[in-house]
Each structure stands twice: as C-alpha cells, then as structure tokens.
Amino acid sequence: MSDLLTVENLGKHFIVSGGLFGNFLGSARRVIRAVDGVSFSIAHGETLGLVGESGCGKSTVGRAILRLLDPTFGKVSLDGRDISHISRRALRPLRQNLQVVFQDPFASLNPRRTVGQSVAEPIKNYGLAKDAELRKAVERLFMRVGLRKDQIDRYPHEFSGGQRQRVGIARALGTKPNLIVLDEPVSALDVSVQAQVINLLVDLQQEFGLAYLFIAHDLAVVEHISARVAVMYLGKIVEIADKRRLFANPKHPYTKALLSAVPSPDPDHKKNRIILQGDMPSPSNPPSGCRFRTRCPIAKPICAEEEPELKAHGKHQFAACHFAAD
Amino acid sequence: MTAANTVSNVVPQRSAFHIWRRHPNLTVGTAMLLIAIFAAIAAPWLGTIDPQLIAPFNRLQTPDSQFWFGGDLIGRDVYSRTIYGARVSLAVGLGVAICGISLGLVVGLLSGFVSWVDSVLMRVMDGLMAIPSILLAVALISLTGASLKNVIIAISIAEVPRVARLVRSVVLSLKERPYVEAAITSGTPFVSILLRHILPNTLAPLLVQGTYIFASAVLIEAILSFIGAGTPPTTPSWGNIIAEGRSVFSIAPHIVLFPGIALSFTVLGVNLLGDGLRDAYDPRFVSRA
C-alpha cells in the first residue's frame, strides 16, 4: 500500500531575538529547535499516534504538516505531492484532503458564528454543495457525529465540550479528507466523554477510510486508536513501532519510562515504575549526543558523544538508542 | 379581552422592559447621549436666544426665571451658549471617533498582518504616543489655525495610535486562535478570514474604544478651547465658556458650573453607552428568544 503522507527530515526552528537592546548586549537570537529532523509516514486508512510530553514538538509537527507553520527544513508529501514547498495559493486545493481537529473545542469555533455556519464553511469553500443541498450536507454531518439537526443554528457557547468537539469533527469531515490531524482532540474532555469521542473517531475511520495523525500526551488514549505509535522527545522521534510491539516490548528507555507511568486497571499488577528525574532540557540548548541522556537511567559516556540513529530492531520497530539491542 | 389582544399588548412592553433590565448601562447611556444630541439639533427651539448677543445689563447676572443659567462677563446668555455648545462638542466627539477609528483600524490591520509594515508603523505610533495628546493637538492646531475641522483632525491624529495598538493586539491574538487556523485549513480565502473571523471579533472592543475616544475627544476639545487653542472664541463651546468664566469663578460660579455639568453629563452618558455596548455585543449575553 502506498503511503498517504510522508514526512522526511522535517524541522522547525524558531528564532527568538533578544530585542533592540538584547542585540547590543549579546543575549540575542536564541534558536529554539522545536522539531529537529522528524521522519515518518502514514498509509491510507492508518492511524499513527504521536506521543511525547509537553514541549517535545509534537504539535509543531502537526502544524508544520498542515502548513500553519512553514517548516525550516525537510519535506512533507501528501499523496506523493510535496506540500511543504509550494505556495499557499497552490496549496489551497490540496487542503481539501488534509483537515484538522484542535485540542480546545471552544477556541476552535468562532463564537459569533453558529455551529452550522462553521461546519458549512469548508464545504462552501470547495464548492461541494450549495443552499438547500449544503443544509442537507451539514444535517447529515451533524447526525453522523451524534448531534441533532435542530442544533445547527445554535452558537458554540450553548454546547458542552464534548459536543463542541463533535462539531469540530463534523467540520473536518465536510470536505471528505483522506487525512485528519487530530491535535490532542480529547485532552480537554472528561474521561467518559473522551471514550465516546474516540469511539466516534474509530467508527468514522472505518466508514470513510480516513487516516489519522493522532497527537496526544496520553499513551492509554493512543493505545486504543493507533496502529503505529511514534514517541517524540525534544524535537526528535526516539522510537516508532507497531502498537503491539511498542507496548509489549519497548526498546527506548524513554518509551519504557512512559509506559511504566500508564495506570493499570489490575490492582494486583505490580509494576516497576521508572520515574524520570528533572525536566526536559531547553530545546534552545539541547544536550550533546543523545538528547535523552540527561534523564536516562542507563546513560553511558558514549551517549554524550555520539547521537544515536533511529535503527531497526526487529520488523516495524525503530529506536534511537545505543543500547536498544540490549 | 381576546388572547391575541393580550399577547400584542404584553409583548412590546415586556421586551422594552427586558432591554432595560438586561442592559441598564446601555439604556441610560443612550438616553443621556440622545438628550445631548437633541439639545444640539433643536438648540434654536429650546427657548434660547442668540448665543452671541451681548447685553451689558446682564453682566454676571445670577440665574433667574429669565436667564436660566445666568449671564456671562459681557452679558451673553449662558443657557443659550451651553445649549449651542453641545453642537461643537458632539461634532468633535463624533468626528474624532469616526476618523480616529477608521485610520486606526487600517493601521492596526496592516500591522497585525504584515510583519515588515508592523515594525515601521508601530515605531511611528510609539513616537506619536510619546507626545501627550493635548500637546500634539496644540502643536497641530498652531500649525494649521483654529477651526472646527482642524480641531477634529488634530485630536484624531492624537487618538490613532491607541486604536491602532488595540486593533493590532486583537488581530495578533485572533490570528493564533484555532478557529482562524481551522478556517485556513478549511481553504477559506484570506479576505474572507479577515471579514468573517477577524473583523467581527474586533468590533466589540472597537465600539467600546470608540465611545472612550468620543468622550476623550469631547474633553480634549474643551481643554483646547479652555487654553485658547481650540474652536475660535466666536463659536460657543463648553471649553470656551468655562475659560471665559474662570476669572470670575469666585463671584459668578454659575458661568463655569452649567457648561461643566453639560460636559460631565455627555461624557458620562457616552461612557455608559460604551459599557452597555460591550455587554450587549458579547454573544454570551445574546438571548435566543
């Protein structure tokens, strides 16, 4: 099966200037390496989970793919077409295949427009339906995501968080995309509502053959929905593997630490919880060699000198650690 | 009484009462501004006489049944002058609000969207803001000469940076909102994003700012007139009247008192209107009934 989305060596650096006086004082121009060489691909109808702690650059990856940010280097291709180096005008027709659902369901809807208008906007933009037909299309989308027809003319503030997220999903479905970037779509919701929304996403994927890039900081959520999982740390992917392999036999110490933090429903199940010391280093000044070494329980001198490559460890499993094979 | 009758009788009363209940500031502020506007328009029919008529017999006349607000230094009727003065104040307030907001909106939108324009325009605005607005207006008027038009232009220029900064900050924060980003990924053209998602959401803060500018312009005009840099002394304006009455304040306080009350009344009304508009325009307060 050909890949729907390919991301090759994607990077996004932000330049923070020291301001007028900082330039004179020499404190100027720090480069924040938010994303520093990330590669992965997503097949048609597949879900890739992208996990990592806050500030690791996972949302920046999503935004660079959507071209809400221009990548500093690297290439993003959708259906074999480079979408990272074409003009925004040329990109517009291609956006139809690439939609997004954001984390904050309230901020992602214009408070002055009815939810129906918000859902209709992308359909109208691409001339997919008009007037009565448009209304029908919006009604169908509303029913499909579990909302009622009579809620179309209401405003976002009249809905609960879960309902608003359903509106956001309906909007993303309107253009019949191939790929939806889900940027922490359930992080802002209650646990009970999270499950409903995730089940809805799974159903929609089967019905429409959608591919998802599911960005999350919660492995338990990712485990339910993803076929493959990529783990990010400080702007790089440290491990990417099939879900089962990753959860059963993680290779990278960071993945192991993350997995040990996932709560287990079995009270008799005793786990060796790996607790990482300290905070993630600043992406403006990453450690030499392996970026994880400052917090790694198994770090050795070589880790400070050589940056480990992302290497295959068994079929469909890649990890960037000098000791992944041990 | 039939049911239909009852409904048609009850509904309008209820809705008027509801507006008053929901937005008391808006109602009171609008009423006060309407009174001021009415006075300005209907000045000749409100029992006034020629505001320029000099009647030496009435010099420093205390208020009585004939001269409601008394007479000034050279015997002109303070009541007539105060009522006619509303024309100048409201014209300046409205003119400045419209000019200042239109200019500021253009500057602010440009700065918010085009980053190289931003650094140039905002430094100019910083420069303008560094000069106190009254000084700036005085300087501009001394360059061009005192007339109503020049007063409006001078105060407008002094107010532009405030509006531009406000619009720019709103645009910058709206640009990052997920719903604007969702519109981008939905393929909405730039102009539609501007008109549909950015402008409507800047209106509420702009309206509030507009009323503030209105009030501030009325005050600055009065100050300019008071120090003799505003409307020509032949035109009755509240600032002129207060300036002329200042020297005799201890023996004839009414000359300063009545235009002062008119000024406070108008400014308070406009500010209340601004607060009310802010509340009313917030979609969370919009009733679906």
Side-chain angles (χ1 to χ4, degrees):
Chain A
M1 190 159 43
S2 69
D3 287 332
L4 173 64
L5 179 87
T6 359
V7 176
E8 291 165 63
N9 192 30
L10 182 73
K12 178 67 197 178
H13 293 179
F14 295 100
I15 292 170
V16 182
S17 93
L20 183 62
F21 297 107
N23 287 338
F24 288 123
L25 296 171
S27 64
R29 289 178 69 87
R30 288 184 307 138
V31 176
I32 309 278
R33 301 162 190 273
V35 178
D36 211 7
V38 163
S39 305
F40 60 84
S41 62
I42 300 177
H44 285 275
E46 187 196 30
T47 301
L48 176 72
L50 186 60
V51 292
E53 59 195 294
S54 311
C56 74
K58 54 190 192 297
S59 285
T60 309
V61 169
R63 292 161 56 86
I65 291 171
L66 292 158
R67 277 290 294 276
L68 291 170
L69 292 170
D70 287 327
T72 312
F73 55 84
K75 189 175 149 189
V76 180
S77 317
L78 186 69
D79 257 334
R81 291 194 59 177
D82 183 351
I83 57 167
S84 49
H85 294 95
I86 56 175
S87 72
R88 275 161 203 276
R89 188 181 291 267
L91 182 64
R92 236 193 107 209
L94 301 178
R95 284 195 190 279
Q96 195 181 334
N97 289 322
L98 181 62
Q99 291 294 311
V100 62
V101 176
F102 288 107
Q103 174 176 10
D104 182 345
F106 192 56
S108 61
L109 296 170
N110 187 337
R112 293 195 192 290
R113 292 169 68 77
T114 65
V115 290
Q117 285 175 314
S118 288
V119 172
E121 188 167 324
I123 306 176
K124 263 203 308 211
N125 284 337
Y126 290 104
L128 301 176
K130 259 189 196 164
D131 307 324
E133 214 184 309
L134 179 66
R135 177 91 189 178
K136 279 261 163 57
V138 174
E139 280 176 5
R140 271 199 303 275
L141 285 169
F142 263 63
M143 312 266 271
R144 188 58 201 86
V145 298
L147 295 165
R148 295 195 315 273
K149 270 197 248 178
D150 59 296
Q151 293 171 319
I152 288 177
D153 297 314
R154 298 202 181 164
Y155 286 90
H157 67 269
E158 297 170 60
F159 290 88
S160 70
Q163 287 173 320
R164 283 183 216 140
Q165 203 56 301
R166 286 171 193 270
V167 175
I169 293 168
R171 171 174 59 191
L173 287 176
T175 61
K176 302 194 168 63
N178 300 325
L179 175 70
I180 301 183
V181 174
L182 302 162
D183 189 358
E184 306 216 23
V186 296
S187 307
L189 306 177
D190 290 344
V191 177
S192 58
V193 182
Q194 278 188 1
Q196 293 171 12
V197 171
I198 286 179
N199 287 335
L200 172 68
L201 289 169
V202 171
D203 291 348
L204 293 170
Q205 178 166 43
Q206 283 162 1
E207 190 175 333
F208 298 106
L210 295 163
Y212 290 146
L213 173 62
F214 193 101
I215 299 168
H217 60 248
D218 182 350
L219 274 171
V221 168
V222 167
E223 184 177 10
H224 187 70
I225 193 166
S226 311
R228 283 190 304 139
V229 176
V231 179
M232 271 188 86
Y233 184 80
L234 208 59
K236 293 218 167 197
I237 288 182
V238 294
E239 182 159 8
I240 178 164
D242 277 356
K243 174 179 75 183
R244 269 189 222 97
R245 283 174 171 275
L246 188 112
F247 279 86
N249 187 16
K251 295 289 186 194
H252 197 281
Y254 182 58
T255 317
K256 287 177 188 166
L258 284 184
L259 283 175
S260 79
V262 175
S264 164
D266 178 2
D268 297 327
H269 184 76
K270 289 275 184 292
K271 270 202 283 195
N272 295 324
R273 179 89 206 265
I274 305 167
I275 294 169
L276 295 177
Q277 300 298 317
D279 288 325
M280 195 159 68
S282 162
S284 67
N285 185 22
S288 65
C290 174
R291 296 186 171 206
F292 184 57
R293 69 174 165 85
T294 52
R295 296 167 77 190
C296 182
I298 58 165
K300 302 252 163 62
I302 185 183
C303 301
E305 287 153 22
E306 253 180 72
E307 185 161 2
E309 300 269 316
L310 200 59
K311 274 189 274 192
H313 295 276
K315 209 183 169 196
H316 303 311
Q317 185 162 21
F318 299 84
C321 177
H322 292 300
F323 308 104
D326 303 348
Chain B
M1 196 189 273
T2 64
N5 239 337
T6 318
V7 168
S8 65
N9 279 344
V10 167
V11 167
Q13 282 173 2
R14 232 187 95 195
S15 62
F17 180 68
H18 262 214
I19 292 171
W20 154 251
R21 273 279 300 275
R22 278 171 102 61
H23 307 296
N25 284 346
L26 186 68
T27 326
V28 174
T30 310
M32 289 169 78
L33 185 61
L34 281 178
I35 290 172
I37 293 172
F38 174 74
I41 293 172
W45 303 283
L46 289 176
T48 54
I49 55 168
D50 180 3
Q52 306 292 28
L53 184 74
I54 298 170
F57 277 118
N58 301 325
R59 277 162 48 199
L60 305 182
Q61 166 78 43
T62 45
D64 61 16
S65 60
Q66 197 193 346
F67 299 97
W68 295 347
F69 294 176
D72 73 1
L73 270 172
I74 48 177
R76 292 174 298 193
D77 181 26
V78 176
Y79 171 71
S80 304
R81 292 178 69 73
T82 304
I83 295 292
Y84 275 96
R87 293 185 162 185
V88 172
S89 292
L90 293 180
V92 169
L94 195 67
V96 170
I98 291 170
C99 296
I101 287 203
S102 331
L103 266 173
L105 189 65
V106 172
V107 173
L109 284 177
L110 272 176
S111 307
F113 275 105
V114 194
S115 54
W116 68 268
V117 173
D118 182 40
S119 41
V120 177
L121 277 180
M122 278 301 126
R123 293 302 79 76
V124 175
M125 293 296 129
D126 284 346
L128 275 179
M129 258 188 146
I131 310 167
S133 52
I134 291 170
L135 270 186
L136 187 64
V138 169
L140 287 168
I141 284 168
S142 59
L143 281 175
T144 54
S147 75
L148 189 60
K149 192 185 80 190
N150 288 343
V151 167
I152 292 177
I153 294 172
I155 304 176
S156 296
I157 289 173
E159 296 286 351
V160 162
R162 258 178 266 277
V163 182
R165 285 216 158 262
L166 175 79
V167 173
R168 174 179 173 272
S169 72
V170 172
V171 168
L172 285 181
S173 81
L174 287 178
K175 232 173 46 167
E176 304 279 312
R177 290 280 166 89
Y179 65 79
V180 174
E181 301 198 317
I184 296 172
T185 60
S186 300
T188 308
F190 175 72
V191 176
S192 305
I193 288 180
L194 197 66
L195 295 180
R196 217 181 275 164
H197 298 292
I198 306 273
L199 262 188
N201 288 302
T202 57
L203 277 186
L206 263 187
L207 265 175
V208 178
Q209 187 74 2
T211 56
Y212 163 75
I213 288 175
F214 190 116
S216 146
V218 169
L219 280 177
I220 292 179
E221 185 278 323
I223 292 168
L224 287 178
S225 300
F226 183 79
I227 59 177
T231 42
T234 47
T235 319
S237 90
W238 294 334
N240 281 344
I241 307 169
I242 295 174
E244 285 155 11
R246 181 182 53 108
S247 55
V248 290
F249 176 68
S250 53
I251 51 167
H254 61 268
I255 303 176
V256 173
L257 182 68
F258 289 108
I261 290 174
L263 186 62
S264 313
F265 180 85
T266 310
V267 171
L268 177 65
V270 175
N271 278 332
L272 282 176
L273 175 64
D275 286 354
L277 277 178
R278 185 193 56 207
D279 297 344
Y281 203 64
D282 192 319
R284 274 169 294 185
F285 293 108
V286 173
S287 129
R288 280 197 307 119

